[in-house]
Structures are given as structure tokens and as C-alpha cells.
Amino acid sequence: MFKVIALLTISFFLVSCGKSEKDVKAAEMLYHECVSNGVEYFKEIGAYPTLQSEPNKGRHAIEVARERCERAPATAFSRPNQ
């Protein structure tokens, strides 16, 4: 868990080079919203807390949500505009 937090902190630091504090905070908020949406999605489909289907069978839903949101926070678990 510590490694994940350290990695995220370092990632946000590196990403923030040349970006304003406002942009960095917006990216962090997008990431956290994405992870929350991912957890809700896995709960809705009954796959929380441990995923039951491949390719992530046996993995914790939060871990998978974090990985997906690191790659594509704007689209990983986006919800359509209502």
C-alpha cells in the first residue's frame, strides 16, 4: 500500500512539472472521482470486494480501479451525462 501511495505521489509530482497547481489539483480530483466510480461499478455488478472473472480474477476491486484510473482517468469508469 505504501508503494502505491509513494508511486502516485511521485507520478503527480512528475506530471505537475510545468503545470499549474490548479491543473494538478484537477487531475487529482479526476483520478479520485474515477476510482470512486470504479468501486461503485464493481459493487453494482456484484464483483466487490474481490473480482471473480478474468483477467482480474482474485484481485481486489480497488486495486484494479486504481490501475485503470492511472492509465485513463477521464474514461476508465466515466458515467454518461445525465
Side-chain angles (χ1 to χ4, degrees), residues 12 16-17 19 22 26 28 37 45 53 59 68 75 77:
F12 284 124
S16 69
C17 293
K19 293 187 178 183
K22 181 180 174 183
E28 289 176 359
N37 287 344
I45 65 169
S53 60
R59 295 183 64 205
R68 290 182 186 180
T75 58
F77 296 101

Side-chain angles (χ1 to χ4, degrees), residues 17-60:
C17 293
K19 293 187 178 183
S20 71
E21 186 174 329
K22 181 180 174 183
D23 291 340
V24 173
K25 288 186 184 223
E28 289 176 359
M29 288 182 65
L30 182 62
Y31 170 80
H32 290 295
E33 182 179 342
C34 178
V35 172
S36 293
N37 287 344
V39 169
E40 287 302 314
Y41 168 76
F42 288 130
K43 285 180 179 180
E44 287 173 9
I45 65 169
Y48 185 85
T50 304
L51 302 179
Q52 299 299 316
S53 60
E54 295 297 337
N56 296 305
K57 186 174 185 174
R59 295 183 64 205
H60 200 279

